[in-house]
Amino acid sequence: MGDEGPGSTVHLLCLAASSGVPLFCRSSSGGAPSRQQLPFSVVGSLNGVHMFAQNLDVQLNSARTEDTTVVWKSFHDSITLIAVSSEEGASELSLGRMLHMVFGAMVLIVGLEELTNIRNVERLKKELRASYCLIDSFLGSSELIGDLTQCVDSVIPPEGSLMQETLSGFAEATGTAFVSLLVSGRVVAATEGWWRLGMPEAVLLPWLVGSLPPQAARDYPVYLPHGSPKVPHRLLTLTLLRGLELCLLCGPRPPLGQLDPQLLERWWQPLLEPLRACLPLGPRVLPEGFPLHGDILGLLLLHLELRRCLFTVEPSPDKEPSPGQRRRLLRNFYALVVTTHFPAGPAEKEEDAGSPAQRPRACYLVLGPGMGWRLVALQLGLRLLLLMLSPQSPTHGLRGLATHTLQALTPFL
Amino acid sequence: MMSDPAWRDSRGRSAELPGDLSSLEEEEEEGDSNAGASSLGSCSSASSDTDLEPEWLDSVQRNGELFYLELSEDEEESLLPETQTVNHVRFSEKEVIIEEDDSRERKKYEPKLKRFTKILKSKRLLPKRYHKKSSNNNGPVSILKHQSDQKTGVTVQQRYKDVTVYINPRKLTAIKAREQPKLLEVLVGIVHQTKWSWKRSGKQADGERLVVHGLSPGGSAMKSGQVLIGDVLVAVNDVDVTSENIERVLSCIPGPMQVKLTFENAYAVKKETIQPKKKKAQSSTNDLVKLLCGSETEGIQPSILGTPHIIMYLTLQLQSEVSKEEEILYHYPVSEASQKLKSVRGIFLTLCDMLESVTGTQVTSSSLHLNGKQIHVAFLKESDKLLLIGLPAEEIPLPQLRNMIEDAAQTLKFMYGSLDSAFCQVENTPRLDHFFSLFFERALQPDKLHLSASPSAQQYDAASAVLLDSLPAVRWLTLPQELKVELDTVLSDLEAADFEELSEDYYDMRRLYTILGSSLFYKGYLVCSHLPKDDVVEIAAYCRHYCLLPLAAKQRIGQLIIWREVFPSHHLQPPADADAEVFQEPEGRYFLLIVGLRHYMLCVLLEAGGCTSKAIGNPGPDCIYVDQARATLHQLEGVDFRLEEQLASSLGPCLSCADWFLAAPREKTDSLTTSPILSRLQGSTKTVTSPTCRRTFFSDYSFKARKPSPSRSSGGCEPGEGGESVGTSPHTTPDAVRKQRESDGAEDSVALLKLTRKKSTLPNPFHLGNSKKELSEKELEVYNTMKLTSGPDNTLFHYVALETVQGIFITPTHEEVAQLGGSVHTQLIKNFHQCCLSIRAIFQQTLKEEKKKTLRAAEHSESAESVAALTPVKEHGVLFECSPENWTDQKKAPPVMAYWVVGRLFLHPKPQELYVCFHDSVTEIAIEMAFKLFFGLTL
């Protein structure tokens, strides 16, 4: 993105908890992967202080300096992940969730067995290399937000029901329950089974497909961190159009060869036009002509129970700031809102929390002189809407605008 | 003040100096009445005082410090109107002497010698410090301990019985509204009839014995089955009670709990000889203090002790393994839960060292899990020392902890010059223990420390402490001009220091001190200040840490004298440049004198050196200055009631109670049918608004700007109406408004200033303020009962406005809040302060960035601005919904009320922060409200 100062870097360290051997270190600087690494002594002492605390029955979670945040997390007493971020607005929440995603990605690629029971460190290191691509996408600035919200990035297809029917029929024909249609890492349509996937993998699988180099078809072994961390499944992907991929999650059957072009053609040829229309939905998420207020610069809608989200920064692309900045602002705002005002988070229903007498419903933020952008968050039932608005939007009208937008979007999510 | 420093009461002294006691007391009384009589601070009162031994002289410590507190018992009268108002005799046994340092042995001087030295001193022949003297060698008795010897002696006689009953003060909230309840009856179930005749005849003027005249059915006392009619209630939880203080003692019970009642058996009463009244009154006051401070002294406060919390001061220069724990220079408390935190200090040292080397910036905080509890630890590094404070996350959110550590460090520097001199001197340890015991108690049990006259004020205090304690400002009471002038004059008179004893010609000596300035507090509110902002803020922080402000607010202080050397940062800063033109602060020493009398507290900052003589050694308080300060306070006696008036009906904006809005849907229907309050109150998410109530800023604006255009005001923007209007709203609004909206705070307020000027010529129809006072028109504009919100109804619930240039903030007074009452409102206030704390954390981030930016701007001409972080935030609002707590109606959903908590930060022209809480029905513009609040707010 190039918006960040030179100092803003994220380091991710992975160590074997028992031996303290570093398994890998990944870094990104200004949103792009970088080779800049922390010196070994620093890695050692970062891990050392966490281990020292653990020996004293104290769990060290995080530390902050004036511009840097460090978060420690250990998984299954065998892997320690440490994130060191000097990005502006980095919060414990976002780093913590990132570490969860990173560990999920590691399990996805190599399986839990390998990680909890490390026999050969060198071999594990080699195997983990396959996950770098996916892990780096968490460190850099991705177009998606699922890593932070723990909701599946999805889009609103133009002819949703037709596509859904076709997908179900196709799933039946191939004998798999888990099928989805993805456009650049976002779910266009998916079968019931696919939507029921557990948390890390529901986000991770589309993310993985989006991060792999383009190929016509793949047969990729994956472990499911939540559903089946020890037994691998097969992830089959078939490119229908460039950027538009069909994903199947299945056991040993059907073999990739069985999904011959005829089968695909039979099912998907009739939908060619709608599929074409899906292609630009990658970054735009909302279908063409969706009535969105002109002041809206960015939008994030989460459904807390379905665990899906819509995230776009494409509206009014000609206005300031750049999409990358909008994404960062919305990400930071999401982290702020969830940490301070809507702490129930996506996991719990707020009604269960003893129904506190004072419930936050909405909040807004007006950025200072020179920027003036407004950020609004509104929670209604199970939906949480975050908007970024242009400076000309009046402060007192923010809530009304958000309510209206949310109502307009409700049928879709 | 409350714990470790020993409290010496006259009983403690009487044990030691039995012969001296009575005479001393008489002298004291005389002195008091003298001072009271000659209330104009003339030299006569001062000189007559000098013939007497000031009662506080005994408690001056070797290092010159004095902390002397004597509680007044007059207040009981004001609190209990039914008590008869006879001429009140002030008894010296009321006095409570606090000594901060009891570890030292002090020599006792003979009274004669004392008198002699006193005379010498008055002639300035002896330096003051020769007057240190006299204390108990065996360590002063702490009055905070249970007076066990007295009590046990009593129980042995079989005349007394202890009955434990369960008391639930929550019962009160139901009844409270109507009238002053009789707590004894309501809570305990004991009926006691006040007998005027008996009181008059017997000399039991202010301490009638609490005879049980009856038991209310179903009350705790009856349930216990041990209380008989005719018994006399003598103590509640070992606090001696009489008819006079019982209500107050009972009102101090914070929550449902078991309470031990001590009764004198019915048959024994008859035989009982009249107890010396003195003794009784005395213990009751002492115990009041004990209630005020919580019974924390002995550290047997299981809930606090069980909470892991710690303060440590560590050195980073680790000498190689010389001995264990050598890096700990100071730590508190010594409890098991804290021990764990102490044992992991290695983590903190490593973090501090390592993270600084990695990131180049200092570590500020860390969080860890300990026994399933999340603990935040805040760091403050100074040169090679590290101060850290750890507290559980669920009690203290991280931003508050950051504020607290900075606040504590600032106050310690104010008291001791630097953290090093505070922590590294062994003799300071007991004082620091005391300081931090109060510190943690305020943090962990905020409601314990705020003993108030009324439970509502207590709740308000506890709720607001979260935010207000960390503001770099003092609570300010806005006063009308003439009152302000009066106070100013009185303080100026003191500061001029032209009283006779201070005349340099008279004694042909240089004065000891220059009075740099003084500030006056009334009931904990700053009412007048002639000190620079930094000094006031530091002094107020000192008072807050020692709980003096709530003390003055709740209890009438008989006499409070505090004297200590201080190190105000403002005066001790090294000069920025060696320019001879600029005023250079003299290399002097500074002393703080606080004199308290009733609800007043006068803080005087004195300078020695400079144009006055240099201070040598550790001078103690000088009688003349103390007397002058006290005389000043006496002079202010007449102003009391006017200040009270201000407290009760402040000049600030009117407030509404949240409960009214919850009750509204049915009761107010007729009057409010057209109002948007209703449509939204009933929980509809659609923001439908009728044109009549669109009295937003816009219509207001056009009116004020003499452009009355009905079409505009009705077509003003309310984007909730529908997609169409949302899309077009910016075009329908007047351009001027739009421009203004886009501009930032500075321009806004300028524009508003212009607008408000115009207001005086054009009566504003929405400000139908109650202009009760007959003031000139100009004054009316400023002093009119302010209504902060727009719209037909007053929708403002609460506000806090911080003005950093003068170091003051304003917020509704305790009285105002108490008038509103309401259970929902209480919760709302609590929530408001908590929300403001998190809003303020964001603002502080912005301020920090802003500072960085100006630094950067000084280096580079243009720096690439990053837009990623949410840093320059100028406004943040949160919408809350609430419903009544216990809604019994199963069929209907409880009514829902929505309110905003909005914080607004102004960087230009001067940093100001505003936090308001208002009902959702009317859209508000924070700028406008801010302007109204800050207007005319000057010290």
Side-chain angles (χ1 to χ4, degrees), chain A residues 59 88 293 358-359 361-362 364 368, chain B residues 369 726 866 872 875-876 879 881 899:
Chain A
Q59 186 81 43
E88 279 187 82
H293 191 276
Q358 324 271 326
R359 292 174 301 267
R361 279 284 167 252
Y364 70 87
Chain B
H369 265 97
V726 168
S866 83
E875 189 171 325
H876 187 21
L879 178 79
E881 269 180 14
Y899 62 91

mmCIF file with all atom_site columns, all heavy atoms in Angstrom, chain A residues 59 88 293 358-359 361-362 364 368, chain B residues 369 726 866 872 875-876 879 881 899:
data_model
loop_
_atom_site.group_PDB
_atom_site.id
_atom_site.type_symbol
_atom_site.label_atom_id
_atom_site.label_alt_id
_atom_site.label_comp_id
_atom_site.label_asym_id
_atom_site.label_entity_id
_atom_site.label_seq_id
_atom_site.pdbx_PDB_ins_code
_atom_site.Cartn_x
_atom_site.Cartn_y
_atom_site.Cartn_z
_atom_site.occupancy
_atom_site.B_iso_or_equiv
_atom_site.pdbx_formal_charge
_atom_site.auth_seq_id
_atom_site.auth_comp_id
_atom_site.auth_asym_id
_atom_site.auth_atom_id
_atom_site.pdbx_PDB_model_num
ATOM 1   N N   . GLN A 1 59  ? 0.662   -16.574 32.798 1.00 0.00 ? 59  GLN A N   1
ATOM 2   C CA  . GLN A 1 59  ? 0.508   -16.590 31.349 1.00 0.00 ? 59  GLN A CA  1
ATOM 3   C C   . GLN A 1 59  ? 0.722   -15.176 30.843 1.00 0.00 ? 59  GLN A C   1
ATOM 4   O O   . GLN A 1 59  ? -0.111  -14.303 31.080 1.00 0.00 ? 59  GLN A O   1
ATOM 5   C CB  . GLN A 1 59  ? -0.899  -17.080 30.992 1.00 0.00 ? 59  GLN A CB  1
ATOM 6   C CG  . GLN A 1 59  ? -1.141  -17.288 29.532 1.00 0.00 ? 59  GLN A CG  1
ATOM 7   C CD  . GLN A 1 59  ? -0.595  -18.617 29.066 1.00 0.00 ? 59  GLN A CD  1
ATOM 8   O OE1 . GLN A 1 59  ? -0.762  -19.616 29.741 1.00 0.00 ? 59  GLN A OE1 1
ATOM 9   N NE2 . GLN A 1 59  ? 0.087   -18.597 27.944 1.00 0.00 ? 59  GLN A NE2 1
ATOM 10  N N   . GLU A 1 88  ? 0.467   1.114   13.017 1.00 0.00 ? 88  GLU A N   1
ATOM 11  C CA  . GLU A 1 88  ? -0.391  2.017   13.776 1.00 0.00 ? 88  GLU A CA  1
ATOM 12  C C   . GLU A 1 88  ? -1.751  1.366   13.967 1.00 0.00 ? 88  GLU A C   1
ATOM 13  O O   . GLU A 1 88  ? -2.313  0.798   13.043 1.00 0.00 ? 88  GLU A O   1
ATOM 14  C CB  . GLU A 1 88  ? -0.563  3.331   13.036 1.00 0.00 ? 88  GLU A CB  1
ATOM 15  C CG  . GLU A 1 88  ? 0.602   4.265   13.226 1.00 0.00 ? 88  GLU A CG  1
ATOM 16  C CD  . GLU A 1 88  ? 0.317   5.623   12.619 1.00 0.00 ? 88  GLU A CD  1
ATOM 17  O OE1 . GLU A 1 88  ? -0.345  6.426   13.283 1.00 0.00 ? 88  GLU A OE1 1
ATOM 18  O OE2 . GLU A 1 88  ? 0.739   5.844   11.489 1.00 0.00 ? 88  GLU A OE2 1
ATOM 19  N N   . HIS A 1 293 ? -25.933 4.799   -0.408 1.00 0.00 ? 293 HIS A N   1
ATOM 20  C CA  . HIS A 1 293 ? -25.830 6.246   -0.274 1.00 0.00 ? 293 HIS A CA  1
ATOM 21  C C   . HIS A 1 293 ? -24.470 6.741   -0.768 1.00 0.00 ? 293 HIS A C   1
ATOM 22  O O   . HIS A 1 293 ? -23.460 6.081   -0.596 1.00 0.00 ? 293 HIS A O   1
ATOM 23  C CB  . HIS A 1 293 ? -26.012 6.632   1.195  1.00 0.00 ? 293 HIS A CB  1
ATOM 24  C CG  . HIS A 1 293 ? -26.172 8.093   1.404  1.00 0.00 ? 293 HIS A CG  1
ATOM 25  N ND1 . HIS A 1 293 ? -25.105 8.947   1.499  1.00 0.00 ? 293 HIS A ND1 1
ATOM 26  C CD2 . HIS A 1 293 ? -27.278 8.862   1.505  1.00 0.00 ? 293 HIS A CD2 1
ATOM 27  C CE1 . HIS A 1 293 ? -25.547 10.178  1.671  1.00 0.00 ? 293 HIS A CE1 1
ATOM 28  N NE2 . HIS A 1 293 ? -26.868 10.147  1.681  1.00 0.00 ? 293 HIS A NE2 1
ATOM 29  N N   . GLN A 1 358 ? -27.549 -1.502  30.473 1.00 0.00 ? 358 GLN A N   1
ATOM 30  C CA  . GLN A 1 358 ? -27.134 -0.505  29.506 1.00 0.00 ? 358 GLN A CA  1
ATOM 31  C C   . GLN A 1 358 ? -26.413 -1.203  28.361 1.00 0.00 ? 358 GLN A C   1
ATOM 32  O O   . GLN A 1 358 ? -25.297 -1.647  28.517 1.00 0.00 ? 358 GLN A O   1
ATOM 33  C CB  . GLN A 1 358 ? -26.197 0.512   30.170 1.00 0.00 ? 358 GLN A CB  1
ATOM 34  C CG  . GLN A 1 358 ? -26.546 0.840   31.603 1.00 0.00 ? 358 GLN A CG  1
ATOM 35  C CD  . GLN A 1 358 ? -27.515 1.994   31.714 1.00 0.00 ? 358 GLN A CD  1
ATOM 36  O OE1 . GLN A 1 358 ? -27.488 2.923   30.928 1.00 0.00 ? 358 GLN A OE1 1
ATOM 37  N NE2 . GLN A 1 358 ? -28.406 1.927   32.686 1.00 0.00 ? 358 GLN A NE2 1
ATOM 38  N N   . ARG A 1 359 ? -27.097 -1.298  27.255 1.00 0.00 ? 359 ARG A N   1
ATOM 39  C CA  . ARG A 1 359 ? -26.497 -1.992  26.120 1.00 0.00 ? 359 ARG A CA  1
ATOM 40  C C   . ARG A 1 359 ? -26.092 -0.989  25.058 1.00 0.00 ? 359 ARG A C   1
ATOM 41  O O   . ARG A 1 359 ? -26.899 -0.149  24.663 1.00 0.00 ? 359 ARG A O   1
ATOM 42  C CB  . ARG A 1 359 ? -27.486 -2.967  25.510 1.00 0.00 ? 359 ARG A CB  1
ATOM 43  C CG  . ARG A 1 359 ? -27.819 -4.143  26.391 1.00 0.00 ? 359 ARG A CG  1
ATOM 44  C CD  . ARG A 1 359 ? -28.916 -4.947  25.757 1.00 0.00 ? 359 ARG A CD  1
ATOM 45  N NE  . ARG A 1 359 ? -30.110 -4.135  25.551 1.00 0.00 ? 359 ARG A NE  1
ATOM 46  C CZ  . ARG A 1 359 ? -31.111 -4.071  26.428 1.00 0.00 ? 359 ARG A CZ  1
ATOM 47  N NH1 . ARG A 1 359 ? -31.050 -4.750  27.549 1.00 0.00 ? 359 ARG A NH1 1
ATOM 48  N NH2 . ARG A 1 359 ? -32.159 -3.318  26.188 1.00 0.00 ? 359 ARG A NH2 1
ATOM 49  N N   . ARG A 1 361 ? -25.640 0.260   21.406 1.00 0.00 ? 361 ARG A N   1
ATOM 50  C CA  . ARG A 1 361 ? -26.345 -0.053  20.172 1.00 0.00 ? 361 ARG A CA  1
ATOM 51  C C   . ARG A 1 361 ? -25.611 0.466   18.952 1.00 0.00 ? 361 ARG A C   1
ATOM 52  O O   . ARG A 1 361 ? -25.645 -0.124  17.904 1.00 0.00 ? 361 ARG A O   1
ATOM 53  C CB  . ARG A 1 361 ? -27.745 0.567   20.212 1.00 0.00 ? 361 ARG A CB  1
ATOM 54  C CG  . ARG A 1 361 ? -28.740 -0.237  20.992 1.00 0.00 ? 361 ARG A CG  1
ATOM 55  C CD  . ARG A 1 361 ? -29.194 -1.434  20.203 1.00 0.00 ? 361 ARG A CD  1
ATOM 56  N NE  . ARG A 1 361 ? -29.904 -2.359  21.042 1.00 0.00 ? 361 ARG A NE  1
ATOM 57  C CZ  . ARG A 1 361 ? -29.402 -3.527  21.413 1.00 0.00 ? 361 ARG A CZ  1
ATOM 58  N NH1 . ARG A 1 361 ? -28.216 -3.899  21.012 1.00 0.00 ? 361 ARG A NH1 1
ATOM 59  N NH2 . ARG A 1 361 ? -30.087 -4.331  22.185 1.00 0.00 ? 361 ARG A NH2 1
ATOM 60  N N   . ALA A 1 362 ? -25.041 1.606   19.095 1.00 0.00 ? 362 ALA A N   1
ATOM 61  C CA  . ALA A 1 362 ? -24.389 2.210   17.943 1.00 0.00 ? 362 ALA A CA  1
ATOM 62  C C   . ALA A 1 362 ? -23.269 3.097   18.429 1.00 0.00 ? 362 ALA A C   1
ATOM 63  O O   . ALA A 1 362 ? -23.250 3.495   19.593 1.00 0.00 ? 362 ALA A O   1
ATOM 64  C CB  . ALA A 1 362 ? -25.388 3.053   17.159 1.00 0.00 ? 362 ALA A CB  1
ATOM 65  N N   . TYR A 1 364 ? -20.222 6.120   16.794 1.00 0.00 ? 364 TYR A N   1
ATOM 66  C CA  . TYR A 1 364 ? -19.591 6.751   15.641 1.00 0.00 ? 364 TYR A CA  1
ATOM 67  C C   . TYR A 1 364 ? -18.309 7.433   16.057 1.00 0.00 ? 364 TYR A C   1
ATOM 68  O O   . TYR A 1 364 ? -18.064 7.676   17.243 1.00 0.00 ? 364 TYR A O   1
ATOM 69  C CB  . TYR A 1 364 ? -20.543 7.739   14.965 1.00 0.00 ? 364 TYR A CB  1
ATOM 70  C CG  . TYR A 1 364 ? -20.817 8.984   15.771 1.00 0.00 ? 364 TYR A CG  1
ATOM 71  C CD1 . TYR A 1 364 ? -19.977 10.084  15.676 1.00 0.00 ? 364 TYR A CD1 1
ATOM 72  C CD2 . TYR A 1 364 ? -21.916 9.055   16.608 1.00 0.00 ? 364 TYR A CD2 1
ATOM 73  C CE1 . TYR A 1 364 ? -20.230 11.221  16.420 1.00 0.00 ? 364 TYR A CE1 1
ATOM 74  C CE2 . TYR A 1 364 ? -22.164 10.176  17.349 1.00 0.00 ? 364 TYR A CE2 1
ATOM 75  C CZ  . TYR A 1 364 ? -21.313 11.265  17.255 1.00 0.00 ? 364 TYR A CZ  1
ATOM 76  O OH  . TYR A 1 364 ? -21.559 12.383  18.001 1.00 0.00 ? 364 TYR A OH  1
ATOM 77  N N   . GLY A 1 368 ? -10.230 13.621  12.809 1.00 0.00 ? 368 GLY A N   1
ATOM 78  C CA  . GLY A 1 368 ? -9.875  15.006  13.040 1.00 0.00 ? 368 GLY A CA  1
ATOM 79  C C   . GLY A 1 368 ? -9.695  15.827  11.791 1.00 0.00 ? 368 GLY A C   1
ATOM 80  O O   . GLY A 1 368 ? -9.967  15.365  10.684 1.00 0.00 ? 368 GLY A O   1
ATOM 81  N N   . HIS B 2 369 ? -2.016  -13.437 32.638 1.00 0.00 ? 369 HIS B N   1
ATOM 82  C CA  . HIS B 2 369 ? -3.007  -14.211 33.376 1.00 0.00 ? 369 HIS B CA  1
ATOM 83  C C   . HIS B 2 369 ? -2.362  -14.825 34.601 1.00 0.00 ? 369 HIS B C   1
ATOM 84  O O   . HIS B 2 369 ? -1.317  -15.443 34.503 1.00 0.00 ? 369 HIS B O   1
ATOM 85  C CB  . HIS B 2 369 ? -3.577  -15.322 32.493 1.00 0.00 ? 369 HIS B CB  1
ATOM 86  C CG  . HIS B 2 369 ? -4.847  -14.924 31.820 1.00 0.00 ? 369 HIS B CG  1
ATOM 87  N ND1 . HIS B 2 369 ? -4.871  -14.459 30.530 1.00 0.00 ? 369 HIS B ND1 1
ATOM 88  C CD2 . HIS B 2 369 ? -6.118  -14.912 32.257 1.00 0.00 ? 369 HIS B CD2 1
ATOM 89  C CE1 . HIS B 2 369 ? -6.121  -14.183 30.201 1.00 0.00 ? 369 HIS B CE1 1
ATOM 90  N NE2 . HIS B 2 369 ? -6.905  -14.447 31.223 1.00 0.00 ? 369 HIS B NE2 1
ATOM 91  N N   . VAL B 2 726 ? -32.008 10.847  2.139  1.00 0.00 ? 726 VAL B N   1
ATOM 92  C CA  . VAL B 2 726 ? -30.620 10.601  2.494  1.00 0.00 ? 726 VAL B CA  1
ATOM 93  C C   . VAL B 2 726 ? -29.738 11.034  1.351  1.00 0.00 ? 726 VAL B C   1
ATOM 94  O O   . VAL B 2 726 ? -28.727 11.703  1.512  1.00 0.00 ? 726 VAL B O   1
ATOM 95  C CB  . VAL B 2 726 ? -30.399 9.106   2.779  1.00 0.00 ? 726 VAL B CB  1
ATOM 96  C CG1 . VAL B 2 726 ? -28.935 8.808   2.869  1.00 0.00 ? 726 VAL B CG1 1
ATOM 97  C CG2 . VAL B 2 726 ? -31.102 8.729   4.066  1.00 0.00 ? 726 VAL B CG2 1
ATOM 98  N N   . SER B 2 866 ? 0.028   9.271   7.671  1.00 0.00 ? 866 SER B N   1
ATOM 99  C CA  . SER B 2 866 ? -0.559  7.954   7.502  1.00 0.00 ? 866 SER B CA  1
ATOM 100 C C   . SER B 2 866 ? -2.021  8.038   7.912  1.00 0.00 ? 866 SER B C   1
ATOM 101 O O   . SER B 2 866 ? -2.373  8.692   8.891  1.00 0.00 ? 866 SER B O   1
ATOM 102 C CB  . SER B 2 866 ? 0.179   6.945   8.366  1.00 0.00 ? 866 SER B CB  1
ATOM 103 O OG  . SER B 2 866 ? -0.326  6.997   9.661  1.00 0.00 ? 866 SER B OG  1
ATOM 104 N N   . PRO B 2 872 ? -6.279  10.940  14.576 1.00 0.00 ? 872 PRO B N   1
ATOM 105 C CA  . PRO B 2 872 ? -6.830  12.233  14.966 1.00 0.00 ? 872 PRO B CA  1
ATOM 106 C C   . PRO B 2 872 ? -8.349  12.119  15.084 1.00 0.00 ? 872 PRO B C   1
ATOM 107 O O   . PRO B 2 872 ? -9.071  12.420  14.158 1.00 0.00 ? 872 PRO B O   1
ATOM 108 C CB  . PRO B 2 872 ? -6.435  13.181  13.831 1.00 0.00 ? 872 PRO B CB  1
ATOM 109 C CG  . PRO B 2 872 ? -5.797  12.334  12.794 1.00 0.00 ? 872 PRO B CG  1
ATOM 110 C CD  . PRO B 2 872 ? -6.016  10.912  13.136 1.00 0.00 ? 872 PRO B CD  1
ATOM 111 N N   . GLU B 2 875 ? -14.285 13.384  17.498 1.00 0.00 ? 875 GLU B N   1
ATOM 112 C CA  . GLU B 2 875 ? -15.566 13.160  18.143 1.00 0.00 ? 875 GLU B CA  1
ATOM 113 C C   . GLU B 2 875 ? -15.864 11.671  18.143 1.00 0.00 ? 875 GLU B C   1
ATOM 114 O O   . GLU B 2 875 ? -15.591 10.970  17.179 1.00 0.00 ? 875 GLU B O   1
ATOM 115 C CB  . GLU B 2 875 ? -16.664 13.921  17.402 1.00 0.00 ? 875 GLU B CB  1
ATOM 116 C CG  . GLU B 2 875 ? -17.986 13.924  18.140 1.00 0.00 ? 875 GLU B CG  1
ATOM 117 C CD  . GLU B 2 875 ? -18.995 14.860  17.500 1.00 0.00 ? 875 GLU B CD  1
ATOM 118 O OE1 . GLU B 2 875 ? -18.565 15.903  16.994 1.00 0.00 ? 875 GLU B OE1 1
ATOM 119 O OE2 . GLU B 2 875 ? -20.171 14.525  17.488 1.00 0.00 ? 875 GLU B OE2 1
ATOM 120 N N   . HIS B 2 876 ? -16.407 11.225  19.221 1.00 0.00 ? 876 HIS B N   1
ATOM 121 C CA  . HIS B 2 876 ? -16.749 9.815   19.329 1.00 0.00 ? 876 HIS B CA  1
ATOM 122 C C   . HIS B 2 876 ? -18.028 9.718   20.142 1.00 0.00 ? 876 HIS B C   1
ATOM 123 O O   . HIS B 2 876 ? -18.113 10.291  21.219 1.00 0.00 ? 876 HIS B O   1
ATOM 124 C CB  . HIS B 2 876 ? -15.619 9.063   20.010 1.00 0.00 ? 876 HIS B CB  1
ATOM 125 C CG  . HIS B 2 876 ? -15.807 7.569   20.014 1.00 0.00 ? 876 HIS B CG  1
ATOM 126 N ND1 . HIS B 2 876 ? -16.626 6.931   19.124 1.00 0.00 ? 876 HIS B ND1 1
ATOM 127 C CD2 . HIS B 2 876 ? -15.264 6.612   20.789 1.00 0.00 ? 876 HIS B CD2 1
ATOM 128 C CE1 . HIS B 2 876 ? -16.589 5.625   19.360 1.00 0.00 ? 876 HIS B CE1 1
ATOM 129 N NE2 . HIS B 2 876 ? -15.772 5.404   20.368 1.00 0.00 ? 876 HIS B NE2 1
ATOM 130 N N   . LEU B 2 879 ? -24.142 5.060   21.342 1.00 0.00 ? 879 LEU B N   1
ATOM 131 C CA  . LEU B 2 879 ? -25.559 5.043   21.661 1.00 0.00 ? 879 LEU B CA  1
ATOM 132 C C   . LEU B 2 879 ? -25.842 3.851   22.559 1.00 0.00 ? 879 LEU B C   1
ATOM 133 O O   . LEU B 2 879 ? -25.464 2.726   22.238 1.00 0.00 ? 879 LEU B O   1
ATOM 134 C CB  . LEU B 2 879 ? -26.387 4.931   20.377 1.00 0.00 ? 879 LEU B CB  1
ATOM 135 C CG  . LEU B 2 879 ? -27.891 4.850   20.565 1.00 0.00 ? 879 LEU B CG  1
ATOM 136 C CD1 . LEU B 2 879 ? -28.474 6.214   20.830 1.00 0.00 ? 879 LEU B CD1 1
ATOM 137 C CD2 . LEU B 2 879 ? -28.546 4.246   19.336 1.00 0.00 ? 879 LEU B CD2 1
ATOM 138 N N   . GLU B 2 881 ? -28.769 1.693   24.949 1.00 0.00 ? 881 GLU B N   1
ATOM 139 C CA  . GLU B 2 881 ? -30.175 1.479   25.240 1.00 0.00 ? 881 GLU B CA  1
ATOM 140 C C   . GLU B 2 881 ? -30.277 0.941   26.647 1.00 0.00 ? 881 GLU B C   1
ATOM 141 O O   . GLU B 2 881 ? -29.453 0.139   27.070 1.00 0.00 ? 881 GLU B O   1
ATOM 142 C CB  . GLU B 2 881 ? -30.773 0.453   24.267 1.00 0.00 ? 881 GLU B CB  1
ATOM 143 C CG  . GLU B 2 881 ? -31.366 1.089   23.046 1.00 0.00 ? 881 GLU B CG  1
ATOM 144 C CD  . GLU B 2 881 ? -31.941 0.081   22.097 1.00 0.00 ? 881 GLU B CD  1
ATOM 145 O OE1 . GLU B 2 881 ? -32.110 -1.090  22.505 1.00 0.00 ? 881 GLU B OE1 1
ATOM 146 O OE2 . GLU B 2 881 ? -32.194 0.444   20.953 1.00 0.00 ? 881 GLU B OE2 1
ATOM 147 N N   . TYR B 2 899 ? -29.957 6.549   24.717 1.00 0.00 ? 899 TYR B N   1
ATOM 148 C CA  . TYR B 2 899 ? -29.248 7.805   24.972 1.00 0.00 ? 899 TYR B CA  1
ATOM 149 C C   . TYR B 2 899 ? -27.843 7.741   24.391 1.00 0.00 ? 899 TYR B C   1
ATOM 150 O O   . TYR B 2 899 ? -27.270 6.673   24.230 1.00 0.00 ? 899 TYR B O   1
ATOM 151 C CB  . TYR B 2 899 ? -29.202 8.115   26.466 1.00 0.00 ? 899 TYR B CB  1
ATOM 152 C CG  . TYR B 2 899 ? -28.459 7.097   27.294 1.00 0.00 ? 899 TYR B CG  1
ATOM 153 C CD1 . TYR B 2 899 ? -27.098 7.231   27.545 1.00 0.00 ? 899 TYR B CD1 1
ATOM 154 C CD2 . TYR B 2 899 ? -29.118 6.005   27.828 1.00 0.00 ? 899 TYR B CD2 1
ATOM 155 C CE1 . TYR B 2 899 ? -26.422 6.299   28.300 1.00 0.00 ? 899 TYR B CE1 1
ATOM 156 C CE2 . TYR B 2 899 ? -28.443 5.076   28.584 1.00 0.00 ? 899 TYR B CE2 1
ATOM 157 C CZ  . TYR B 2 899 ? -27.095 5.217   28.814 1.00 0.00 ? 899 TYR B CZ  1
ATOM 158 O OH  . TYR B 2 899 ? -26.429 4.289   29.555 1.00 0.00 ? 899 TYR B OH  1
#
